[in-house]
Amino acid sequence: MATFLYKLGRLAFRRRRFVALIWVALLAVAGVGMATASTATSSSFSIPGTEAQRAFDLLEQRNPGISADGATARVVFKAPEGEKVTAPANKGEITGIVKELRSGSDQIASVADPFQTRAVSQNGSTAYISVSYEVSSMELTKKTTDALKDAAEDAQNSGMKVEVGGDALQVMPQTGTAEVIGVAIAAVVLFITFGSLVAAGLSLLTAIVGVAIGVATITALANVLDLGSTTATLATMIGLAVGIDYALFIVSRYRAELAEGREGEEAAGRAVGTAGSAVVFAGLTVIIALVGLSVVNIPMLTKMGLAAAGTVAIAVLIALTLVPAALGFAGKRVMGRKARKAAEAENSPDAKPNMGTRWARFVLRKPVWVMLAGVLGLGVIAVPAASLEMGLPDDGAQPKSTTQRQAYDMLSDGFGPGFNGPLLVVVDTANSSDGKAAAARVSEEIESIGVSAVTPAAFNKAGDTATITVIPKDRPSSVETENVVHSIRDSGADITSDTGAEVLVTGATAMNIDFSQKMNDALLPYLALVVGLAFLLLMLVFRSILVPLKAALGFLLSVVAALGAVVAVFQWGWLGSLFGVEQTGPIMSLMPIFMVGVVFGLAMDYEVFLVTRMREAYVHGESPGQAIVTGFKHGARVVTAAAVIMMAVFAGFIGSAEQMVKMIGFSLAVAVLFDAFVVRMAIVPAVLALLGKRAWWLPRWLDRALPDVDVEGEKLRKRLTDEPRAEQGPGEGGDGQRELARV
């Protein structure tokens, strides 16, 4: 592989105008596709195999006009102190708002008058209008949401406090500012790392081109493939992360080759042949992690993973072709004056060892202490992970300043905490001899469980399906509400055996519970698949059993520690005020598996780049200890820069007002911190130092069975050494500067 990539790098450098033209053309095609495509709506969300989804499907089949998965809103009114909403003036105002809402949009399915549906609190201080829509929240038009907001503003003039809850006002988190901040910090870190504006700008530009092509393609195909408006967000985050990393690796190696006196084309070939091999396999691990999301069997998540994996593949191709082409345009300007002087000083015999070298030598002197400190430190941080509770955030997790959170609190005060998370019980009486009796028994069973309220069963026109609304006593994300859902389902099994009627529990709260359970059940299989495949891939790269095993175990340690930190901050509330956590609660169920996929890919990036350089030195004749020092001498600075960039990108999302975005940003930033600086930079060299030559051991039978991909470039090095001699003939010495001139 190294030889092939060497040729590819030289070709891209030599034919740089042609290569650049190809990528510009691809960018233009993707841009035209994005500009001409219709606006993406939300992806159809479903959770196959869950009871809540079966209930939704049954309702759509038996009563198509019910819009069970449509958006909802609650316009909540609270009378001024000493007044009631039933007072004539307040009642007239609320009735007028009902009429205004009914005529405000053609997407509305129904608007319930609170005085007809008894949606008034017992003390008369609070009432709410229930609004149902025919489409999901992401498909609501601006006209519809504006009509809802205008109605609420009009009601404010009456003196009542009016707030709007529900998912109708839900918007996709706006992450543009965070991305700009992340890119700005990345530019600063790249400049500090390279000491050259040209090198820093080149790395950023090529990464942005790759992300632009990937995101434009996703946007162009969003409606055709039902990708939805959320898919591009993940692709942008991952594509930007790996794009900068891969360009950083190639440019860094190119500069090292220039510093050793090689000409531009030769330096580009060697950079792509060596660092490019690491990029290919690092990219494959990221792609495995993202494609592996399909094991969760949630179509939306599968599509997001595949789209992001495609963006990563583009980033790899960019690094192997466009980066060396851009290096051809930049030439030796990627060094910068200070960088050239620093490189000359570093390569001189009496040069002082850099920070990476000094750290590696320290680890070699104290490997046991370094390893114990790293493992025990992460182990302590991981302790809270044992208390992990997963769920999906509701309006109660919104900032207190938002109208959704204030509406949530007003409903809790007026009607009880469980009112914000009603359960919808669906009774399929098609196979029951007495459907009404079966539905009545279901209501009795639910009341015996202990809930706040149970509405009478409402049948569809055919009389074969009944719906019952249940109001739990506790808030939607509580363990008690989850227990109520399980109790209803358990009692439903007995009812089915006695009456033939099937009982299903659905609604947003039940859907969230089923989603969390499905994500929890998929976590271990996903880990096994991703880590297993990556283990085989790394075994192929490093031709070792212990090095991939150490890499996988180190990753698991950093992920569990990151989960522990997330639980401590967002579930327990430790240091919550520092990170703007206003409401503690369960950890978002999507977060652990999402974090595993993203961080695994980035962790393996650092592992492959750092340890490949060690493997390269070891294969070229250095002792195991000296190979560790060599790997850190050339790779520590680059890996540190890459990790700092990623932490900055992810940490930018912590400032978001959205709890979900804040949690994802915090978890990814902390996970990269632990994995890059504790696992890869401390535990990995300590373990390798303790293992010595055994780290690179591979059974002979397995060595013969595995294909030799030559990631460390040994075959390439031999070829570069032998060919000039063959061309010059015996006794001609060879200066090595015309290496592979005919390639």
Side-chain angles (χ1 to χ4, degrees):
M1 173 177 286
T3 303
F4 168 76
L5 293 177
Y6 169 83
K7 296 178 180 179
L8 180 63
R10 293 193 63 165
L11 179 65
F13 186 97
R14 191 166 58 247
R15 303 293 186 187
R16 47 189 172 272
R17 290 181 178 80
F18 180 70
V19 172
L21 184 62
I22 290 176
W23 283 110
V24 169
L26 290 174
L27 179 61
V29 170
V32 170
M34 178 180 68
T36 56
S38 54
T39 304
T41 60
S42 64
S43 176
S44 55
F45 182 78
S46 63
I47 313 176
T50 62
E51 181 173 315
Q53 185 63 50
R54 285 196 295 121
F56 269 132
D57 295 341
L58 181 66
L59 286 176
E60 288 291 343
Q61 178 186 348
R62 301 280 177 84
N63 196 356
I66 196 172
S67 300
D69 58 349
T72 60
R74 282 174 172 173
V75 184
V76 187
F77 302 83
K78 187 171 184 178
E81 188 71 26
E83 295 185 22
K84 294 185 178 182
V85 292
T86 53
N90 293 334
K91 184 176 181 179
E93 182 68 28
I94 294 172
T95 303
I97 297 299
V98 171
K99 295 178 181 178
E100 181 180 342
L101 286 170
R102 285 174 176 167
S103 61
S105 170
D106 55 3
Q107 291 184 312
I108 288 180
S110 64
V111 179
D113 188 323
F115 303 106
Q116 296 178 1
T117 58
R118 298 180 181 178
V120 180
S121 63
Q122 289 184 351
N123 61 9
S125 66
T126 310
Y128 66 91
I129 301 172
S130 291
V131 186
S132 300
Y133 296 89
E134 296 177 349
V135 296
S136 67
S137 59
M138 291 297 118
E139 295 173 295
L140 293 177
T141 62
K142 187 176 184 299
K143 177 185 175 183
T144 299
T145 56
D146 285 346
L148 181 61
K149 294 175 184 177
D150 292 343
E153 289 177 3
D154 293 342
Q156 294 278 9
N157 299 327
S158 66
M160 292 184 290
K161 183 178 181 181
V162 185
E163 304 293 344
V164 182
D167 62 352
L169 293 183
Q170 179 182 345
V171 295
M172 287 307 302
Q174 299 298 313
T175 57
T177 303
E179 290 163 5
V180 171
I181 293 173
V183 170
I185 295 175
V188 173
V189 174
L190 286 171
F191 176 70
I192 294 173
T193 303
F194 288 136
S196 165
L197 284 173
V198 174
L202 185 151
S203 301
L204 269 180
L205 178 62
T206 54
I208 291 172
V209 168
V211 170
I213 293 174
V215 172
T217 303
I218 291 170
T219 305
L221 299 176
N223 279 333
V224 176
L225 302 180
D226 191 27
L227 297 179
S229 55
T230 60
T231 307
T233 303
L234 176 62
T236 300
M237 183 184 293
I238 306 302
L240 192 61
V242 299
I244 294 175
D245 273 7
Y246 299 160
L248 177 64
F249 295 161
I250 299 292
V251 174
S252 176
R253 189 59 183 259
Y254 174 77
R255 282 158 52 97
E257 298 294 338
L258 285 181
E260 292 182 9
R262 294 186 176 88
E263 294 301 319
E265 184 177 332
E266 179 64 22
R270 286 176 179 253
V272 177
T274 51
S277 298
V279 166
V280 169
F281 283 96
L284 284 175
T285 60
V286 182
I287 291 171
I288 288 172
L290 292 170
V291 173
L293 290 172
S294 58
V295 304
V296 182
N297 193 29
I298 294 179
M300 180 192 71
L301 197 58
T302 299
K303 292 173 184 177
M304 289 175 67
L306 292 175
T311 305
V312 173
I314 292 173
V316 172
L317 293 175
I318 288 273
L320 300 179
T321 56
L322 184 59
V323 170
L327 290 172
F329 289 111
K332 294 186 178 181
R333 286 175 293 175
V334 296
M335 293 294 287
R337 294 180 181 179
K338 292 183 178 180
R340 281 197 293 269
K341 291 180 180 179
E344 291 172 1
E346 187 175 324
N347 290 326
S348 64
D350 56 345
K352 290 178 61 178
N354 61 17
M355 181 65 73
T357 302
R358 295 197 298 272
W359 171 250
R361 289 174 180 171
F362 170 77
V363 174
L364 288 174
R365 290 196 302 270
K366 306 284 186 180
V368 175
W369 291 108
V370 171
M371 183 184 70
L372 287 177
V375 172
L376 291 177
L378 292 181
V380 170
I381 299 173
V383 169
S387 303
L388 174 67
E389 296 176 7
M390 293 201 297
L392 286 178
D394 53 29
D395 284 347
Q398 295 274 3
K400 293 181 180 179
S401 59
T402 62
T403 184
Q404 294 95 325
R405 173 62 184 274
Q406 293 184 42
Y408 181 97
D409 291 340
M410 288 165 61
L411 288 172
S412 294
D413 294 340
F415 299 90
F419 202 80
N420 284 292
L423 306 174
L424 185 63
V425 178
V426 181
V427 186
D428 182 3
T429 60
N431 298 320
S432 176
S433 57
D434 190 345
K436 291 186 177 181
R441 180 177 169 184
V442 172
S443 297
E444 292 174 1
E445 290 284 348
I446 295 173
E447 288 176 348
S448 68
I449 292 173
V451 294
S452 289
V454 180
T455 64
F459 280 85
N460 63 344
K461 291 182 180 180
D464 57 1
T465 307
T467 55
I468 302 171
T469 301
V470 179
I471 307 298
K473 291 182 177 179
D474 298 283
R475 60 193 179 100
S477 58
S478 67
V479 176
E480 290 77 11
T481 299
E482 184 176 346
N483 292 335
V484 168
V485 172
H486 293 316
S487 297
I488 296 174
R489 288 172 173 172
D490 292 341
S491 63
D494 296 333
I495 294 174
T496 301
S497 61
D498 294 343
T499 67
E502 185 179 12
V503 181
L504 303 171
V505 184
T506 188
T509 300
M511 183 70 86
N512 290 350
I513 291 171
D514 287 354
F515 180 81
S516 298
Q517 186 61 49
K518 194 173 182 68
M519 298 299 293
N520 191 38
D521 293 342
L523 185 57
L524 286 180
Y526 176 70
L527 267 175
L529 173 68
V530 170
V531 174
L533 289 176
F535 177 84
L536 296 176
L537 190 64
L538 293 178
M539 187 167 61
L540 183 67
V541 173
F542 298 125
R543 308 199 72 78
S544 163
I545 292 179
L546 296 179
V547 171
L549 180 62
K550 172 264 310 168
L553 293 177
F555 160 74
L556 293 176
L557 181 61
S558 63
V559 164
V560 176
L563 280 177
V566 171
V567 170
V569 173
F570 290 90
Q571 188 174 308
W572 293 358
W574 292 6
L575 300 177
S577 59
L578 181 63
F579 297 102
V581 179
E582 296 184 2
Q583 177 69 47
T584 59
I587 303 305
M588 188 183 65
S589 51
L590 183 65
M591 196 277 298
I593 202 165
F594 179 81
M595 184 181 72
V596 166
V598 174
V599 176
F600 181 80
L602 295 177
M604 292 305 104
D605 278 0
Y606 308 143
E607 174 78 16
V608 169
F609 187 76
L610 191 61
V611 181
T612 297
R613 201 67 189 255
M614 299 178 192
R615 168 75 180 173
E616 182 181 340
Y618 177 74
V619 169
H620 292 165
E622 293 186 7
S623 66
Q626 184 56 41
I628 294 173
V629 174
T630 300
F632 269 79
K633 175 184 177 182
H634 296 290
R637 184 180 179 88
V638 178
V639 170
T640 299
V644 170
I645 288 170
M646 291 308 100
M647 288 169 57
V649 171
F650 296 141
F653 293 88
I654 297 176
S656 172
E658 293 284 341
Q659 183 88 335
M660 177 183 70
V661 177
K662 185 189 299 289
M663 189 181 297
I664 289 177
F666 175 84
S667 65
L668 294 180
V670 168
V672 170
L673 171 67
F674 292 158
D675 197 272
F677 292 103
V678 181
V679 174
R680 307 303 153 192
M681 305 292 281
I683 296 177
V684 165
V687 172
L688 290 177
L690 292 172
L691 291 174
K693 290 185 178 180
R694 289 169 294 180
W696 310 108
W697 172 79
L698 187 70
R700 291 184 179 179
W701 64 268
L702 188 56
D703 186 41
R704 290 192 297 269
L706 291 176
D708 187 0
V709 294
D710 190 31
V711 175
E712 68 280 350
E714 176 61 18
K715 291 181 179 178
L716 174 62
R717 181 179 181 179
K718 187 175 184 301
R719 181 175 179 180
L720 294 175
T721 303
D722 292 345
E723 288 209 10
R725 295 177 182 175
E727 291 175 3
Q728 294 166 358
E732 288 190 33
D735 60 8
Q737 295 300 318
R738 298 190 304 276
E739 295 164 336
L740 284 182
R742 67 176 182 277
V743 175

